[in-house]
Amino acid sequence: MNGTPRLRSAYPSTPQARQKRDEQYGTASGVSLPKVPLPKESTAQPDAQAPIIPFNLIDAPSQRFYVAFFYLALLIWRLCDYYVLVSDETDSFQLFMKWVVIDGVILYGLPGLRIPWLQWSSTTMTVLFALHAIADYILMFRVSIPLEAWLIAFTRLFYDRELAVSERRVKVANVLNNASLILGKQIIHILPEGYGSEPFRFFRDAHNHRSAMLNPNQTAFCLDALTTSVDLPIWINQTNPILIELLRIDIDTNTNETLVIQAKEIQRLKKQADKQLSNRTPTSPRHLRYPVKRTGLYRLQRVLDESKLEVQRRLSDTLVVHCPSAHVRAVPKIKCIGDLSDFYIQVDATPPIHIKYSKTVNNEENGHAVLSIPPKNQVSPLARQRTSGALVSKASPNEADVSWARSQSTRISVNESLGINGHWQYLIDGIQDGCGNVVEYSKRRLGNTHRRHASTELPLEQTFSVYERPRAALQGCDSQHALQVPKGKSIHLPLRISSTGSEKVAEGSHRISYLFTPNARILSNQEHAEDSELASFTFESHGSNYEVHEPGLYTLQSVESSFCAGEILEPSSCLLSNPPEPNVSIETQSIPDRCAGNSIGLLVDLDLTGTPPFRLSYNIRRRGGPVTPKVAEPELLHTQLELRPTHSGHYTYEFLDISDSVYREPRSLRNQNLVLEQDVKPPASARFLDAYPSRKTCIGEPISLGVQLSGEPPWRLDYELIHHGRRQKHKIIGIESNVHTLTTDELKTGGEYSLALSAVTDNSGCKVSLEQETKIEVALQRPKASFGLVEGQRSILALKDRVVKLPLRLQGEPPWTVQYQNIDEPDGGITSAVFKNSNDAIDVVDAGTYELIHVNDGTCPGNVDTGADRFTVKWVPRPGVQVSESAVIEVVRGKHVKKEICEGDEDALEISFTGTPPFDVEYSHNVKPERGSQSSTTKKFTAGINVASVRMESSEAGTHQYQISEISDQSYNHDPRQFSPISIEQRVHARPSAAFVEGGKTYKYCKEEDAGGENVPIALKGEPPFHLEVEVRHHASSKPELVTIPNVDSQKYNLHISHRLLSLGTHTVQIRKVRDAHGCERQMDQETPRVQVNVAEVPSISALESQTDYCIGDRISYMLAGSPPFNVFYTFNGQERKAAAPTTSFRRLAEKPGEFTINAIADQRSADCKAHTSITKVIHEMPSVRVSKGRTATVDIHEGGEAEIMFEFGGTPPFEFTYTRSSNPQKGKKSQILDTKSDISYEFSKTILASDEGMYEVVAIKDRFCSFSTQKEHGKTGRKLLTW
């Protein structure tokens, strides 16, 4: 084949294998063939044409096979992605881009392999790539393709024929599209002025006026750095302009110019406008968009059409201005509370201007504000309600002043008090000028960049950091209370720093300045001198103090934080002084005994200097005794110190040192030698040894108190016992010891007693009155103990092994010691516990009856209330479950066996609980089916009361075993040691089934036969005997007939249907239900296979439509009943015909007018027997109309004249027709419809008068029955059967 000549356009020849392959094979007989030398390879072929994979490795066919296999794998992968896309609703765009890239790489990379037959041109590759991309789009975006509709439409392009009532195939389009139904047209010409006395009239009504208008929607336009050009819309209607003039008035200089749009530019604008029109004509309304790049006022000045006549203009001035802009004139961002925001918004726009800004404080929106800026010293028409399209004078626009449209620069001051500390932010949200141009800065911040906006370099926000102002004051020192410091010492200036928003100490550093005047230069009115010093220091809020030591007047002047100046509060002045050092001088006098005349002590007068209170230390030494240090704390500058020892002897008093409130370090007085000496014989005295002001005791018991006596023994002690206002005087004589125990009588009445030492007499005979007294509290009653109540009773029901608190009621003085025991435990001993609360509780962990034995309070033993000395503790019972035995449940070998049920029956197990609801139950369900392996599941449920119903599973036949394994209630969790599982078993029988052996088969019965017929075999499953119920339903009847078949002893049964249940037609036989020996019943569903029983003697035919009248082109359809194929006998226009119908539908196209009658029908089964009928349909001819006798007539009239147009009709009156008036045809141009009208005629002809120029023709006609139209809607010719 290498020698076969090839055309240049043919595929390249397949490269041959090398000689080595030929040498490996021989003939079948073993005779070797002569070796034929291979053609030498051409050396002229360039290396660039050699394949990437040499043919000695993989030959060309194999390479093409591998490429095809790889392409098939990619196709399978593509279909898998399509399946995932449909099932998982993944992203269509990603998959589409993925496969476009893969197809591009494969298709454009394939020629690089240089495989023969796969080296295509760039154009071929581009076409293949485009086809693959379209296929990828259809698959990945799930575009539905109506393949069947396309196939039918494609077939009808070549063969569109259908059987008609004349039993011949006709072309449907020829029947439907009969152009001869509407014929003729009339053209009316209006003669020009030279032919008549009346001038041309170009406009008849407002709807058909040739008009033009600039910017009909009053759209606002503006220009800025980014929007350098805008398109002005020019609306034209019913005209084809060749010249458009625009007047432009410059808003900066008030100069004007005329912009001329020539025909060439107009055609370009019309082409752009036509792209937006679906149905366009040369005079269709259009929006021409003319681009302009300069600001100004534009007005449509003149429009000329093709006839060089001026088109009517609707006045509408349009402004193109500079786009509005706004920005913030930034100011410092640090502010203090109370400051004003004091910043400016710079606005450049055409007034009147509306600017909107918002404010946020600490990230919380704090409202919006809209500012309106009127024109400056001008009256702008933009500020008034616009009642017409003109913005300047209509008469003299060249002299108009449009300076009001210029962009004005305005600075808006925003001054608000900043009353809250934190972050403040002002944002410009948008601006609108007087023309309606809007710039939304807020949308731009959200990421939606507006088409019109100013330069983004200008700031649109102003932020402030507002700080609190500091406050400073002195604390603990003012002009009336000086700050006293020892000489040579310093002290912290008592400074308190706060802020305006809080009384707490302000954070950060503060700069404090103060005024200082030394004591010597302070004026007499306690004010600063003129030469006072001004100083300052830095104060930190944490751990910072400022030391002052020089005496004088300090006054705070100012306070500043790192950001704000603050306020000085009162007190702001403080006087620092150095008081004199403390000192003392003394004078003494002896204190004589009034009875014996002996000295009993010294009275020392102290004259003190310094700042009280003072602290004076001194020692008292008795000869032969130890030194006793003493401290006196005088609070006055002159006071007396009484030194009166209690024992006789020689005493020495030495004053050691002194200090005061300022000089706290003691100052020694030893250099002053302040030492006093004296011999003392003290008088008799007595005092209680215990220093307690009161004592407690029990009622009915005495009390003993120790008394310390001084003087010379023996002593006589007089005392009084006072109770309830009654005094009992007592005396004790002959006391030899200086310590005596005083014991009272029994205190038999409770309450408060006072025991007072009234007098004491020693051996000298001097009686000394005493003022020693103590209080004795005698308990009104003895302590008492009892158990309290819990919910009205002295018993409690508690959880086992929990701590139970038994309430106590204790009377007396705490603490109480209570003894109790559990009398239900013989071996239990007595327990003692201490309680501090009168309503305390005993903690117990065992059940039983607890009894109180004894009680003591802090002072006395007490009694136990015998009526409330016992408390009973019982345990809450643990949860339990019981299955009650009944007629349906019996216990067999420890199992509860429940009555057998059928598969799918509803059954429940009633169980009862003991314990505290709700109960949580867990049980296992084990199924041993009749076939297959067993399964087990675990289930849980919660019972809110002591009785529950557990649903028994019956969805699967077999033995079902239930075991209740765990139970817990509100009080106790499950404890396997306290609960034994309960087992329940139940047998579930499978439901029987029944089915036709040959489901779906059609059995034939004859209506004429009185007996006999085919038997319908039925197969049954279950335990016989069975009970069957069969339904026989006629297709035309909604009420079925039921057949009951009892006692079927076998699993096979032949059903014979009685003829009394059958009627003419098709019957559906269905098994409704079956019951077996266990009583189990199955209701058969609607999807169970059925059988059909046809009882038919003759077929039947019926019309699908109830109408009698049809039009030519309609389809007459019938429904056939019987056994196909059918033979249909009918008569059309008196001619009898026979037609074959292979299916149960019969349809014919109404080709001609006439009467169509169905006479008889026969089917396959009743070929010898016809079903006679009479179904008549009348086919009416289509209405027709002739204009000007069906020809094209031309009539010339003068302006204002009229011409007659005659319409002639065919069909059945009345007639309704629609005609149009179109522009007269011109060479090279298509007529345009100018007017459409409808009219009615009750005769076969009608004449109308017309005075408008144009071409008149009928586009639609209908009579009493039918209609026809040459106007197409959705691609179909309009036709309809009418009803009048």
Side-chain angles (χ1 to χ4, degrees):
M1 296 298 292
N2 291 339
T4 303
R6 294 180 180 269
L7 297 176
R8 293 182 180 180
S9 60
Y11 286 105
S13 60
T14 303
Q16 303 298 316
R18 293 186 179 271
Q19 184 178 357
K20 181 179 178 181
R21 180 183 299 173
D22 297 335
E23 294 175 353
Q24 295 176 355
Y25 299 93
T27 60
S29 60
V31 179
S32 60
L33 297 176
K35 298 181 179 179
V36 181
L38 295 174
K40 295 182 179 181
E41 293 180 325
S42 175
T43 58
Q45 185 178 2
D47 293 340
Q49 298 301 323
I52 297 297
I53 303 175
F55 293 145
N56 59 349
L57 295 179
I58 304 175
D59 57 3
S62 298
Q63 291 188 29
R64 288 193 292 270
F65 173 76
Y66 294 148
V67 169
F69 181 81
F70 181 70
Y71 181 83
L72 180 61
L74 287 179
L75 180 60
I76 295 174
W77 185 16
R78 192 191 321 261
L79 294 178
C80 291
D81 280 354
Y82 174 75
Y83 175 78
V84 174
L85 174 68
V86 174
S87 59
D88 297 344
E89 294 293 333
T90 55
D91 189 1
S92 299
F93 181 75
Q94 292 184 0
L95 291 176
F96 170 71
M97 294 304 300
K98 164 187 168 183
W99 282 106
V100 168
V101 172
I102 292 176
D103 290 338
V105 172
I106 296 301
L107 293 176
Y108 284 103
L110 183 60
L113 297 177
R114 296 193 286 275
I115 301 174
W117 296 6
L118 298 180
Q119 293 178 273
W120 299 313
S121 64
S122 299
T123 303
T124 303
M125 299 306 300
T126 302
V127 172
L128 291 176
F129 175 75
L131 293 176
H132 279 74
I134 293 173
D136 293 337
Y137 181 87
I138 292 173
L139 284 176
M140 299 311 159
F141 288 98
R142 292 176 289 178
V143 178
S144 60
I145 305 176
L147 294 178
E148 184 179 353
W150 289 359
L151 182 59
I152 294 175
F154 181 76
T155 304
R156 287 184 176 178
L157 291 177
F158 303 97
Y159 187 80
D160 185 16
R161 295 182 178 274
E162 192 172 331
L163 276 174
V165 293
S166 59
E167 285 303 312
R168 64 187 183 92
R169 292 191 175 273
V170 297
K171 195 171 183 179
V172 179
N174 294 338
V175 177
L176 296 179
N177 303 322
N178 189 356
S180 63
L181 296 178
I182 300 178
L183 294 175
K185 61 182 70 174
Q186 183 162 323
I187 300 174
I188 298 177
H189 283 297
I190 298 179
L191 298 176
E193 291 184 3
Y195 292 93
S197 58
E198 295 185 5
F200 285 114
R201 288 195 285 257
F202 293 98
F203 306 105
R204 278 291 176 187
D205 51 76
H207 180 73
N208 289 322
H209 274 170
R210 292 175 293 173
S211 58
M213 184 178 184
L214 176 64
N215 192 14
N217 296 326
Q218 297 296 320
T219 306
F221 299 97
C222 68
L223 299 173
D224 59 10
L226 297 179
T227 307
T228 59
S229 174
V230 295
D231 294 334
L232 296 182
I234 303 175
W235 180 75
I236 58 174
N237 181 39
Q238 297 293 335
T239 184
N240 190 10
I242 61 173
L243 178 69
I244 299 176
E245 291 183 359
L246 292 177
L247 175 66
R248 173 184 172 271
I249 303 176
D250 192 282
I251 60 178
D252 294 324
T253 62
N254 279 332
T255 60
N256 61 77
E257 62 175 333
T258 300
L259 305 178
V260 180
I261 308 175
Q262 299 294 343
K264 184 177 181 180
E265 179 69 12
I266 293 174
Q267 291 301 321
R268 186 184 65 83
L269 297 178
K270 288 179 63 178
K271 290 180 180 179
Q272 295 178 356
D274 288 344
K275 294 179 181 179
Q276 301 178 1
L277 298 177
S278 58
N279 297 322
R280 62 179 182 272
T281 61
T283 58
S284 296
R286 292 177 175 84
H287 281 83
L288 308 182
R289 301 195 175 274
Y290 179 67
V292 297
K293 298 183 178 180
R294 291 183 294 173
T295 60
L297 185 145
Y298 291 84
R299 173 178 289 182
L300 190 62
Q301 184 167 275
R302 190 164 69 123
V303 179
L304 294 181
D305 64 1
E306 294 175 328
S307 60
K308 300 292 182 70
L309 297 177
E310 190 169 339
V311 177
Q312 179 182 355
R313 292 170 289 108
R314 300 182 184 179
L315 192 60
S316 176
D317 292 343
T318 299
L319 273 176
V320 179
V321 298
H322 294 286
C323 289
S325 66
H327 66 275
V328 172
R329 298 285 296 272
V331 298
K333 298 182 178 181
I334 303 299
K335 295 285 185 178
C336 301
I337 287 182
D339 288 350
L340 297 177
S341 56
D342 194 20
F343 71 95
Y344 300 94
I345 298 177
Q346 186 70 35
V347 178
D348 296 304
T350 300
I353 308 169
H354 301 278
I355 185 169
K356 180 180 179 182
Y357 70 90
S358 60
K359 177 176 63 178
T360 59
V361 180
N362 294 328
N363 297 323
E364 293 184 3
E365 188 171 326
N366 201 10
H368 298 265
V370 178
L371 305 178
S372 298
I373 306 172
K376 295 180 179 179
N377 303 323
Q378 295 181 18
V379 178
S380 172
L382 299 178
R384 302 190 300 268
Q385 182 71 28
R386 191 169 178 179
T387 58
S388 67
L391 292 175
V392 297
S393 173
K394 300 179 182 179
S396 56
N398 297 335
E399 300 177 359
D401 181 11
V402 293
S403 59
W404 45 265
R406 297 172 187 168
S407 179
Q408 297 183 2
S409 181
T410 307
R411 192 172 70 170
I412 304 173
S413 176
V414 180
N415 264 332
E416 295 183 2
S417 179
L418 307 176
I420 302 176
N421 67 306
H423 181 75
W424 289 58
Q425 184 181 38
Y426 291 85
L427 296 172
I428 300 177
D429 293 332
I431 182 173
Q432 178 180 351
D433 64 5
C435 300
N437 295 294
V438 179
V439 177
E440 293 286 351
Y441 296 112
S442 58
K443 291 183 178 180
R444 189 191 313 171
R445 285 192 293 269
L446 295 175
N448 298 327
T449 304
H450 200 272
R451 186 177 64 87
R452 301 172 182 158
H453 54 80
S455 175
T456 56
E457 297 179 356
L458 298 177
L460 298 175
E461 66 177 30
Q462 175 68 54
T463 59
F464 294 112
S465 295
V466 181
Y467 296 91
E468 294 183 349
R469 293 184 181 273
R471 289 177 174 177
L474 296 175
Q475 187 174 5
C477 179
D478 54 26
S479 58
Q480 304 298 323
H481 301 84
L483 193 63
Q484 296 180 339
V485 183
K487 294 179 181 179
K489 300 291 184 179
S490 62
I491 191 172
H492 302 315
L493 188 65
L495 190 63
R496 179 172 60 89
I497 303 294
S498 60
S499 61
T500 54
S502 174
E503 292 299 325
K504 298 181 180 179
V505 176
E507 298 291 336
S509 60
H510 298 79
R511 188 70 180 172
I512 310 294
S513 64
Y514 64 92
L515 202 62
F516 171 71
T517 300
N519 280 337
R521 299 203 300 270
I522 296 177
L523 301 181
S524 59
N525 58 355
Q526 295 298 311
E527 295 291 336
H528 288 279
E530 295 182 356
D531 58 348
S532 58
E533 301 176 8
L534 182 63
S536 63
F537 63 92
T538 301
F539 181 83
E540 299 291 342
S541 59
H542 295 290
S544 177
N545 293 300
Y546 183 68
E547 302 283 342
V548 292
H549 64 278
E550 189 174 355
L553 181 61
Y554 294 83
T555 300
L556 299 179
Q557 294 296 308
S558 65
V559 57
E560 296 179 358
S561 67
S562 302
F563 306 101
C564 303
E567 179 183 4
I568 300 298
L569 303 179
E570 294 297 332
S572 61
S573 297
C574 180
L575 182 64
L576 178 64
S577 62
N578 297 138
E581 297 181 0
N583 202 355
V584 63
S585 61
I586 61 176
E587 292 182 0
T588 62
Q589 60 179 343
S590 178
I591 302 175
D593 185 358
R594 291 176 296 178
C595 178
N598 299 325
S599 177
I600 60 174
L602 287 177
L603 190 62
V604 182
D605 291 330
L606 301 177
D607 293 321
L608 303 165
T609 57
T611 305
F614 300 91
R615 181 181 176 85
L616 182 61
S617 302
Y618 61 96
N619 290 338
I620 300 176
R621 177 182 297 174
R622 181 184 177 190
R623 183 176 296 171
V627 177
T628 303
K630 295 288 185 179
V631 175
E633 296 182 350
E635 296 185 358
L636 301 176
L637 296 177
H638 179 79
T639 186
Q640 285 185 334
L641 179 63
E642 186 178 280
L643 303 175
R644 183 179 293 184
T646 58
H647 300 283
S648 60
H650 182 77
Y651 288 85
T652 300
Y653 308 97
E654 181 181 8
F655 293 92
L656 303 176
D657 54 53
I658 187 172
S659 63
D660 62 4
S661 61
V662 177
Y663 297 86
R664 297 186 180 279
E665 296 183 1
R667 181 173 176 272
S668 177
L669 299 175
R670 293 182 184 275
N671 57 354
Q672 298 184 23
N673 195 21
L674 301 178
V675 179
L676 304 175
E677 294 186 3
Q678 183 185 28
D679 290 327
V680 177
K681 289 185 178 180
S685 65
R687 64 180 181 85
F688 292 111
L689 288 177
D690 297 333
Y692 300 113
S694 63
R695 293 164 176 80
K696 296 180 180 180
T697 186
C698 299
I699 189 170
E701 295 183 357
I703 188 171
S704 297
L705 302 174
V707 180
Q708 175 73 45
L709 300 171
S710 62
E712 297 182 4
W715 289 277
R716 171 182 167 175
L717 182 62
D718 296 319
Y719 68 93
E720 295 179 349
L721 187 63
I722 306 167
H723 178 60
H724 289 174
R726 292 181 298 173
R727 293 177 178 269
Q728 295 180 4
K729 296 184 177 182
H730 303 272
K731 64 180 178 179
I732 304 173
I733 59 175
I735 302 174
E736 295 292 339
S737 175
N738 60 349
V739 177
H740 180 73
T741 300
L742 187 152
T743 301
T744 65
D745 298 334
E746 292 183 356
L747 305 178
K748 298 182 179 180
T749 305
E752 184 181 71
Y753 289 79
S754 296
L755 181 62
L757 302 180
S758 57
V760 62
T761 304
D762 62 356
N763 189 34
S764 63
C766 293
K767 185 176 182 180
V768 179
S769 298
L770 301 176
E771 295 181 355
Q772 288 286 319
E773 184 177 347
T774 185
K775 300 292 185 182
I776 302 173
E777 293 288 339
V778 179
L780 297 176
Q781 62 180 6
R782 291 187 176 275
K784 186 178 180 180
S786 63
F787 280 116
L789 299 176
V790 175
E791 296 181 357
Q793 56 187 359
R794 291 183 179 87
S795 63
I796 189 171
L797 195 62
L799 299 181
K800 190 176 181 180
D801 301 330
R802 300 286 180 89
V803 176
V804 181
K805 294 184 177 295
L806 307 183
L808 283 177
R809 300 296 177 261
L810 303 173
Q811 298 178 4
E813 294 293 330
W816 292 270
T817 301
V818 179
Q819 295 179 347
Y820 62 92
Q821 67 176 355
N822 187 349
I823 62 176
D824 291 343
E825 295 183 1
D827 299 335
I830 297 176
T831 304
S832 180
V834 178
F835 303 95
K836 296 181 179 180
N837 192 339
S838 60
N839 295 299
D840 219 322
I842 299 175
D843 294 339
V844 298
V845 294
D846 297 321
T849 301
Y850 289 85
E851 182 181 18
L852 299 178
I853 305 300
H854 186 67
V855 62
N856 287 335
D857 66 358
T859 306
C860 308
N863 302 320
V864 174
D865 187 355
T866 56
D869 60 342
R870 294 188 177 185
F871 201 101
T872 302
V873 178
K874 296 180 180 179
W875 298 136
V876 175
R878 286 191 170 274
V881 59
Q882 296 86 30
V883 178
S884 59
E885 298 184 19
S886 63
V888 296
I889 299 179
E890 59 180 353
V891 179
V892 179
R893 294 190 297 275
K895 286 186 179 181
H896 294 77
V897 179
K898 207 168 187 306
K899 183 180 178 181
E900 299 175 348
I901 61 173
C902 298
E903 182 181 4
D905 285 354
E906 291 291 334
D907 195 12
L909 176 67
E910 300 293 335
I911 57 177
S912 59
F913 302 98
T914 58
T916 306
F919 302 93
D920 294 324
V921 181
E922 178 177 320
Y923 67 94
S924 62
H925 175 212
N926 186 27
V927 183
K928 295 180 181 179
E930 295 179 350
R931 296 181 183 86
S933 59
Q934 65 181 8
S935 61
S936 179
T937 58
T938 300
K939 300 182 180 180
K940 298 180 180 180
F941 70 91
T942 300
I945 58 177
N946 292 80
V947 178
S949 178
V950 180
R951 181 177 176 272
M952 309 297 284
E953 292 292 338
S954 61
S955 59
E956 185 177 5
T959 301
H960 293 253
Q961 294 179 345
Y962 304 84
Q963 186 179 55
I964 301 175
S965 55
E966 294 185 10
I967 182 171
S968 60
D969 63 358
Q970 187 178 18
S971 303
Y972 295 97
N973 294 326
H974 175 69
D975 188 354
R977 298 170 299 179
Q978 304 290 334
F979 179 74
S980 298
I982 298 176
S983 298
I984 303 99
E985 185 177 295
Q986 186 178 43
R987 175 71 179 177
V988 177
H989 294 288
R991 291 186 179 274
S993 63
F996 295 108
V997 175
E998 296 178 297
K1001 181 179 178 181
T1002 300
Y1003 296 88
K1004 297 180 180 179
Y1005 275 67
C1006 296
K1007 183 63 178 176
E1008 292 76 8
E1009 297 181 3
D1010 295 330
E1014 297 182 80
N1015 290 329
V1016 181
I1018 300 176
L1020 300 101
K1021 292 182 181 179
E1023 188 71 23
F1026 299 96
H1027 182 90
L1028 276 173
E1029 187 175 296
V1030 179
E1031 173 188 297
V1032 180
R1033 182 191 298 269
H1034 192 274
H1035 75 282
S1037 175
S1038 60
K1039 183 179 180 182
E1041 297 287 343
L1042 298 180
V1043 179
T1044 301
I1045 307 171
N1047 299 323
V1048 178
D1049 296 329
S1050 174
Q1051 293 185 340
K1052 293 182 180 180
Y1053 180 74
N1054 292 323
L1055 173 65
H1056 182 81
I1057 303 175
S1058 175
H1059 283 78
R1060 64 178 182 83
L1061 303 175
L1062 302 177
S1063 58
L1064 185 65
T1066 302
H1067 299 75
T1068 300
V1069 181
Q1070 180 183 8
I1071 302 174
R1072 293 193 60 173
K1073 62 183 177 181
V1074 58
R1075 186 171 64 246
D1076 65 358
H1078 294 297
C1080 297
E1081 184 175 276
R1082 180 185 294 275
Q1083 295 281 347
M1084 311 306 289
D1085 54 27
Q1086 295 297 323
E1087 297 180 358
T1088 303
R1090 313 172 186 180
V1091 296
Q1092 303 289 332
V1093 175
N1094 284 337
V1095 180
E1097 192 173 66
V1098 290
S1100 62
I1101 184 171
S1102 59
L1104 290 180
E1105 299 93 357
S1106 60
Q1107 66 190 59
T1108 303
D1109 298 297
Y1110 288 82
C1111 299
I1112 293 177
D1114 291 345
R1115 290 168 176 84
I1116 307 175
S1117 301
Y1118 298 90
M1119 175 63 68
L1120 309 179
S1123 299
F1126 299 90
N1127 290 323
V1128 180
F1129 302 90
Y1130 66 92
T1131 301
F1132 179 64
N1133 286 341
Q1135 184 178 358
E1136 294 185 354
R1137 300 176 185 270
K1138 176 183 177 183
T1143 63
T1144 57
S1145 63
F1146 177 71
R1147 187 178 73 170
R1148 289 295 181 266
L1149 178 67
E1151 172 196 9
K1152 301 177 181 179
E1155 190 173 278
F1156 183 81
T1157 303
I1158 300 294
N1159 300 320
I1161 183 175
D1163 63 356
Q1164 181 183 15
R1165 185 184 58 208
S1166 57
D1168 298 333
C1169 181
K1170 295 181 181 179
H1172 294 278
T1173 183
S1174 179
I1175 303 176
T1176 301
K1177 305 292 184 181
V1178 179
I1179 302 174
H1180 299 276
E1181 64 176 346
M1182 296 297 296
S1184 62
V1185 61
R1186 302 289 185 270
V1187 181
S1188 300
K1189 301 298 182 177
R1191 296 170 297 178
T1192 299
T1194 302
V1195 178
D1196 296 329
I1197 64 173
H1198 291 286
E1199 181 73 20
E1202 293 179 333
E1204 291 185 351
I1205 303 175
M1206 186 176 69
F1207 301 91
E1208 296 175 323
F1209 306 101
T1212 305
F1215 301 96
E1216 182 178 349
F1217 61 100
T1218 300
Y1219 64 94
T1220 62
R1221 180 176 67 88
S1222 305
S1223 60
N1224 288 334
Q1226 298 180 9
K1227 186 176 181 180
K1229 293 186 179 180
K1230 186 178 180 181
S1231 298
Q1232 303 296 318
I1233 296 176
L1234 304 177
D1235 195 6
T1236 302
K1237 294 183 178 180
S1238 297
D1239 205 342
I1240 296 178
S1241 175
Y1242 295 93
E1243 304 294 336
F1244 286 94
S1245 65
K1246 186 177 178 98
T1247 301
I1248 64 172
L1249 298 177
S1251 61
D1252 293 330
E1253 184 180 51
M1255 181 173 60
Y1256 293 80
E1257 57 183 332
V1258 177
V1259 295
I1261 177 67
K1262 63 180 178 179
D1263 65 356
R1264 181 177 183 84
F1265 300 103
C1266 304
S1267 67
F1268 178 77
S1269 174
T1270 60
Q1271 295 179 335
K1272 295 186 178 181
E1273 182 179 0
H1274 303 292
K1276 294 185 179 180
T1277 302
R1279 55 174 60 243
K1280 185 179 180 182
L1281 175 67
L1282 303 176
T1283 302
W1284 295 82

